């Protein structure tokens, strides 16, 4: 079973792979949803593809807008460029885009969750047209997924296991287009489902009445975040081809940490080992909303929405990444400030290697002793001994 991680930019793509993803999905600045994610230029996509393939891993590119006639003008050339670069598949939701990809390339096609596949017959339909994989709608129960895997074993099934949810049917949503003229279906969602809503009678413009569904009341469209880590054993046994982590807009720390948790837990499942509770709890150490298992065991609306607010839970501040380690110094590219006396953590792809220590001595890049770091500089911390590669540094808030 493949672990598929989001890659909002080249750096996140590399860390997602180094932290345990088997494949990444990304977009260029054309034809993919998530217009505000970093997104790659074609040159960067080429570099990304070469990096993925050097590790024997895969890269998929989203071309999942709902295309109007005007979008079709440049699409054939774009599809041909993607094929020349050598990506492993395109992710498509619109039948017109599907047709263009078929006519202008031999690229493998994955059907996007935006296509709302919720039955084995629908999966069979897309496969009969030439799709290799179907990314299931998030609105399916586990039993439905098991039945699909059983009935259409010839179709690769991919399912979301972690990340933000939409209130609308797998992203088919008009809220953002309606409020801001920014269409979610063209990758420009401004997330109005997270806003706080009141009721106003049209002739009393300054009187706002709270909307109350229950004792919490107001964030009626704010979904909790999906987290299926505790269901991974069953998902693994069900015959799902790929498990997907949402979040091309998320931080480097988020993508790396969530990916490694799923990697470390899946490794232990495959080796028949116990899973330490601390591995599961790592998912609380990234910025997230309250978690839910959503539709997994059947729809339960008391468990899927969070009515109090739409704020993220943040227990850690990401400080930066380890650039280099000598015998007694570790060089860090600083993103956020920390100071002498702080307790900090360095995390690594293997959770068992994580270290926690107090910063006693700190140097600037030109080896002057300093008491605190400044963002967007490099600094050295005194630390004896070896550490693994690709460390990320964070501090509990
Ligand atoms: S407004 Fe909310 S529900 Fe609609 S597409 Fe955006 S994130 Fe999804």
């Amino acid at each position: 079973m493949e672990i598929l991680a989001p890659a909002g930019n080249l750096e996140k793509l590399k860390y997602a792979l180094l932290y345990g993803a088997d494949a990444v999905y990304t977009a260029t600045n054309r034809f993919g949803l998530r217009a505000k994610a970093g997104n790659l230029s074609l040159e960067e996509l080429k570099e990304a593809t070469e990096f993925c393939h050097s590790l024997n891993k895969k890269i998929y590119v989203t071309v999942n807008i709902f295309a109007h006639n005007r979008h079709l003008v440049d699409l054939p050339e774009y599809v041909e460029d993607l094929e020349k670069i050598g990506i492993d598949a395109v992710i498509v939701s619109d039948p017109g885009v599907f047709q263009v990809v078929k006519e202008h390339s031999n690229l493998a096609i994955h059907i996007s969750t935006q296509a709302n596949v919720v039955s084995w017959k629908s999966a069979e339909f897309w496969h009969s047209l030439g799709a290799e994989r179907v990314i299931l709608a998030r609105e399916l129960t586990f039993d439905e997924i098991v039945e699909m895997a059983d009935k259409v074993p010839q179709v690769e099934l991919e399912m979301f296991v972690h990340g933000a949810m939409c209130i609308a049917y797998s992203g088919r949503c008009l809220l953002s287009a309606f409020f801001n003229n920014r269409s979610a279906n063209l990758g420009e969602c401004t997330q109005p489902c997270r806003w706080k809503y009141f009721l106003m009678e049209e002739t009393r413009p300054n009187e706002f009445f709270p909307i109350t569904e229950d004792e919490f009341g107001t964030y009626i469209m704010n979904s909790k975040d999906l987290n299926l880590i505790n269901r991974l054993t069953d998902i693994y046994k069900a015959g799902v081809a790929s498990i997907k982590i949402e979040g091309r807009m998320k931080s480097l720390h988020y993508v790396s940490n969530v990916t490694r948790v799923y990697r470390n837990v899946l490794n232990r499942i495959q080796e028949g080992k116990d899973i330490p509770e601390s591995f599961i709890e790592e998912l609380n150490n990234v910025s997230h909303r309250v978690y839910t298992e959503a539709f997994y065991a059947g729809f339960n609306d008391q468990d899927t929405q969070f009515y109090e607010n739409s704020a993220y839970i943040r227990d850690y501040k990401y400080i930066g990444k380890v650039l280099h380690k000598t015998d007694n110094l570790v060089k860090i590219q600083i993103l956020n400030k920390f100071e002498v006396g702080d307790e900090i953590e360095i995390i690594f792809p293997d959770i068992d290697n994580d270290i926690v220590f107090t910063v006693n001595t700190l140097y600037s890049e030109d080896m002057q002793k300093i008491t605190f770091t400044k963002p967007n500089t490099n600094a050295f911390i005194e630390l004896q001994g070896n550490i693994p590669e690709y460390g990320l540094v964070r501090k509990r808030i």
Side-chain angles (χ1 to χ4, degrees), residues 31-155:
F31 302 114
L33 297 181
R34 293 280 178 259
K36 281 194 290 179
N39 290 338
L40 277 61
S41 66
L42 281 186
E43 250 334 282
E44 287 173 319
L45 183 65
K46 193 162 178 288
E47 184 183 336
T49 304
E50 283 163 8
F51 183 76
C52 288
H53 292 168
S54 73
L55 299 176
N56 224 4
K57 301 192 176 197
K58 292 188 173 170
I59 180 166
Y60 312 135
V61 175
T62 58
V63 191
N64 58 346
I65 63 163
F66 287 93
H68 290 245
N69 294 340
R70 65 181 185 275
H71 297 121
L72 298 178
V73 178
D74 294 334
L75 191 56
E77 187 186 344
Y78 180 61
V79 167
E80 286 162 14
D81 285 344
L82 292 180
E83 186 172 37
K84 273 187 222 139
I85 287 171
I87 63 156
D88 295 287
V90 283
I91 301 170
V92 166
S93 49
D94 178 86
V97 175
F98 183 97
Q99 191 67 8
V100 172
V101 174
K102 296 288 288 178
E103 286 169 0
H104 290 270
S105 77
N106 290 310
L107 283 166
I109 302 177
H110 296 176
I111 300 302
S112 166
T113 191
Q114 252 74 16
N116 306 148
V117 173
V118 290
S119 75
W120 65 268
K121 203 67 187 166
S122 180
E124 186 183 64
F125 164 80
W126 282 112
H127 187 258
S128 73
L129 293 182
E132 186 174 282
R133 177 181 295 188
V134 166
I135 304 161
L136 299 172
R138 290 172 171 93
E139 292 78 13
L140 291 170
T141 66
F142 178 63
D143 290 345
E144 288 176 295
I145 294 170
V146 169
E147 188 180 351
M148 289 173 79
D150 190 42
K151 287 225 164 70
V152 284
Q154 69 277 26
V155 190

